[in-house]
Amino acid sequence: MAVQALQAYVNEMQKRIDDNDYEPQFDDKDEKKDKELRESEDLHHGAVLKGTVEQGAGTRHPQEGDLVYVHISIRSPSGQLLHSTWLEEGGSGVPMALVLGRGVRAPRGWELGLQDMVCQQRCQLTIKPEYGYKHKDCHMTPPKGVSIDEPMHVDIKLLEIYSKDDVRVVGTNENIYKTIKQRSESWESPREPYEVEVSCSARVPAPSGQQGDSTPYFVAPSLKFTMGSGTAPSGLEEALSSMTQREKAVFSCPTEYVRGSSLLPDPPHQPDRVELDLHLLRFSQVRDMTGNGEVMKRRIKEGTGQFPMDCPMADSRLQIHYRGYVVNTGQEFVNTRGADSNAQPLEFDSGMGILPEAIDMTVRLMTPGEVALITSASQYAYDGRPDRPPGMPEGAKVEWEVELISFQKQPDWERAEPDAKIKHAGELKDQGNLAFKAGRLKPARSKYTKALRLADRIFDLETEEQAEAASSVKTACLVNLANCAQREQHFGEALDWCNKALMESHNHAKALYRRAMAFSALGELDKAQQDFVKWKEVDPSATADADAQIAKLKIQQKAANVKQKQQFRNFFDRT
């Protein structure tokens, strides 16, 4: 028996091995440790040989993520000079900027050689090809004449180290190196099509490697432009995209990223990189709300709080002031402050369609006290609305200046107690009913959908009464969504909503009625009659209405039969 049990155990283990259940699992720490062991072995066998030429000063060694400035020269195995940054060796005199282990990686042999150097130390490195430009982590293009397949002799001097705590690698190609000089408490960064104002100076890096140690070739206390407009060079825009308001930073940027712009002059000669010393003074948030330019929001005055945490993104009660103009004529058609500018703010519930859609969607991205200019195409303004101002033609483009005074911040309903969630879902449903009765189907749909989503995600129901209440809200919303679809003559969609409602509540009278009407509109008259019959069985008070609908179905069926006979008669007459 013991032998049989042992054999069964062995068979099970073998099956797991065959099914790859025992494949080794490696995490990042294992991979890093494995890499360190391989490098240690390679170094032991002479992958990188190092000798000190000049002693340095201090005790700080570069770490991964630090920005370093170095002077460097590369020679062939025969001693021929192939490349140098030193002026006395025919180079530009401009040091090279590297972020160790980040961005456009240098040859791994350089990084390893720098690891235990100090500032002003100068060393000779002999590097095998596998640790030179041929290394898998090296993304740097070798200088002209340098072969990736030959050992290289490198003369390297460490000039300056900037701590990884203040250094970031930014830009699409990760080859712009940022050193933070003054942090900001804000966190929002400008992007296309924001309008920015920045203090800027541009310089060729100093031979010493110290940022800001050379004379700028361009200084502007204030530059104003629109991101993405093509006015500014790509390097400046990518740098600003990593900044927050009132932040100061120095960026080491490839020269080709700052050339050819009307905003900044080209550097006086052609170094590999330039330094941009930037102070982001302010920016105006500009948003394309629809993605096609039909609703644009431009911040005129900042509000209080942080975007988007302090914005009324969820449906809530808001207080605003606004005034509106017809774009083509400049005619003012509304001003909620009144003639004496003392009127109370307009109070309304967002998401109800009470105001034009352009205002409703943009005010959600404002903070209290913010003033924004909203430009809207007619379909997001007053086209098709009963509140279109007198004399405003259909198709009129509109501009509003809107100030968000305050709003009632909504709780995190996902974390609320079950009873609170059910109550709020019911409130959303009721708001949907109000919008529906006012003929605003889009906001009604939105309210029903939000109520349904909330009620459907109550996973911690504790009592049968709570379960029934949540189910009642869900069923009502499903039936109401079917009603919206029927109003828009989307009968197939209405049928889907009814089916879902009847899955939630099998004999729901309104769901049966709505489904019968959808079947009727789709020409499935037998199914419609079955639902009308079941409707009056479930709700005897609806008997008269159900019988009237069944009578209509019979007339409809009779007309359909006559039409079908006529079609057959015409067919045989033609043949």
Side-chain angles (χ1 to χ4, degrees), residues 8 32 36 55 117-118 319 410:
K32 185 177 180 181
E36 290 173 353
Q55 296 295 331
M117 292 176 66
V118 294
Q319 289 188 327
Q410 294 293 303

Side-chain angles (χ1 to χ4, degrees), residues 92-218:
S92 65
V94 177
M96 185 178 289
L98 310 169
V99 177
L100 300 186
R102 302 281 190 276
V104 180
R105 297 275 298 272
R108 183 58 178 157
W110 300 10
E111 293 181 340
L112 292 170
L114 285 163
Q115 280 182 354
D116 59 356
M117 292 176 66
V118 294
C119 285
Q120 304 307 313
Q121 184 176 351
R122 184 171 180 175
C123 293
Q124 296 274 355
L125 305 175
T126 301
I127 303 171
K128 289 184 177 180
E130 291 73 21
Y131 276 75
Y133 289 101
K134 207 171 183 178
H135 192 276
K136 67 180 182 66
D137 292 334
C138 176
H139 303 301
M140 189 177 289
T141 303
K144 187 177 180 180
V146 175
S147 172
I148 66 172
D149 297 316
E150 290 185 341
M152 61 178 165
H153 297 285
V154 177
D155 185 355
I156 188 167
K157 183 173 184 178
L158 176 60
L159 302 174
E160 283 293 336
I161 306 170
Y162 293 91
S163 171
K164 62 182 179 181
D165 296 336
D166 299 319
V167 170
R168 305 289 184 270
V169 175
V170 302
T172 305
N173 296 318
E174 296 191 332
N175 56 357
I176 299 176
Y177 308 142
K178 173 184 179 182
T179 307
I180 300 169
K181 300 299 183 181
Q182 174 181 297
R183 298 179 186 275
S184 164
E185 294 182 0
S186 178
W187 70 270
E188 186 184 5
S189 298
R191 59 183 181 274
E192 182 179 340
Y194 283 24
E195 297 169 352
V196 300
E197 182 179 1
V198 59
S199 171
C200 172
S201 63
R203 54 172 54 86
V204 176
S208 64
Q210 292 184 3
Q211 293 179 342
D213 204 25
S214 60
T215 302
Y217 66 85
F218 173 76

Side-chain angles (χ1 to χ4, degrees), residues 167-429:
V167 170
R168 305 289 184 270
V169 175
V170 302
T172 305
N173 296 318
E174 296 191 332
N175 56 357
I176 299 176
Y177 308 142
K178 173 184 179 182
T179 307
I180 300 169
K181 300 299 183 181
Q182 174 181 297
R183 298 179 186 275
S184 164
E185 294 182 0
S186 178
W187 70 270
E188 186 184 5
S189 298
R191 59 183 181 274
E192 182 179 340
Y194 283 24
E195 297 169 352
V196 300
E197 182 179 1
V198 59
S199 171
C200 172
S201 63
R203 54 172 54 86
V204 176
S208 64
Q210 292 184 3
Q211 293 179 342
D213 204 25
S214 60
T215 302
Y217 66 85
F218 173 76
V219 176
S222 173
L223 287 178
K224 297 179 181 179
F225 63 95
T226 300
M227 298 276 282
S229 65
T231 306
S234 62
L236 177 57
E237 289 206 358
E238 291 201 30
L240 289 170
S241 295
S242 73
M243 299 184 72
T244 55
Q245 193 153 272
R246 291 178 287 278
E247 183 182 1
K248 294 180 180 180
V250 175
F251 294 85
S252 173
C253 181
T255 302
E256 62 267 26
Y257 284 23
V258 297
R259 297 180 69 247
S261 160
S262 60
L263 197 66
L264 265 67
D266 291 349
H269 51 281
Q270 296 300 316
D272 290 334
R273 302 180 79 85
V274 297
E275 287 178 358
L276 300 177
D277 195 337
L278 304 179
H279 180 196
L280 181 53
L281 302 173
R282 61 188 59 84
F283 59 83
S284 295
Q285 185 192 75
V286 180
R287 291 185 179 274
D288 184 344
M289 301 297 299
T290 54
N292 58 7
E294 292 185 334
V295 178
M296 299 293 296
K297 171 185 177 287
R298 178 180 178 271
R299 182 191 287 160
I300 299 174
K301 175 188 170 187
E302 284 192 46
T304 58
Q306 289 290 324
F307 174 87
M309 291 82 73
D310 297 309
C311 297
M313 299 186 75
D315 292 348
S316 52
R317 180 156 293 182
L318 300 89
Q319 289 188 327
I320 68 170
H321 270 305
Y322 69 96
R323 56 181 179 173
Y325 306 86
V326 178
V327 170
N328 291 340
T329 64
Q331 177 188 356
E332 181 178 291
F333 60 84
V334 65
N335 187 345
T336 60
R337 295 184 186 276
D340 58 0
S341 299
N342 289 323
Q344 291 297 310
L346 175 69
E347 185 171 285
F348 74 103
D349 291 319
S350 60
M352 292 291 290
I354 296 170
L355 294 181
E357 188 175 358
I359 295 179
D360 199 294
M361 71 168 72
T362 51
V363 76
R364 295 170 184 269
L365 300 183
M366 297 174 66
T367 54
E370 180 180 339
V371 180
L373 190 67
I374 301 167
T375 307
S376 172
S378 60
Q379 61 266 38
Y380 293 97
Y382 292 101
D383 275 8
R385 291 183 60 89
D387 59 344
R388 188 172 70 201
M392 178 182 288
E394 193 81 13
K397 190 174 183 179
V398 173
E399 196 167 75
W400 297 277
E401 184 181 288
V402 180
E403 179 179 3
L404 175 61
I405 308 299
S406 65
F407 71 95
Q408 293 178 4
K409 197 163 187 177
Q410 294 293 303
D412 184 352
W413 293 110
E414 295 290 333
R415 298 185 179 183
E417 293 296 319
D419 285 336
K421 288 182 183 178
I422 295 167
K423 181 182 178 183
H424 184 59
E427 291 169 347
L428 290 171
K429 175 187 69 82

Side-chain angles (χ1 to χ4, degrees), residues 543-564:
T543 298
D545 291 333
D547 287 342
Q549 291 295 337
I550 291 170
K552 288 181 182 180
L553 285 178
K554 289 178 179 179
I555 296 171
Q556 190 176 346
Q557 184 66 62
K558 185 176 180 180
N561 292 338
V562 170
K563 184 178 180 181
Q564 188 178 44

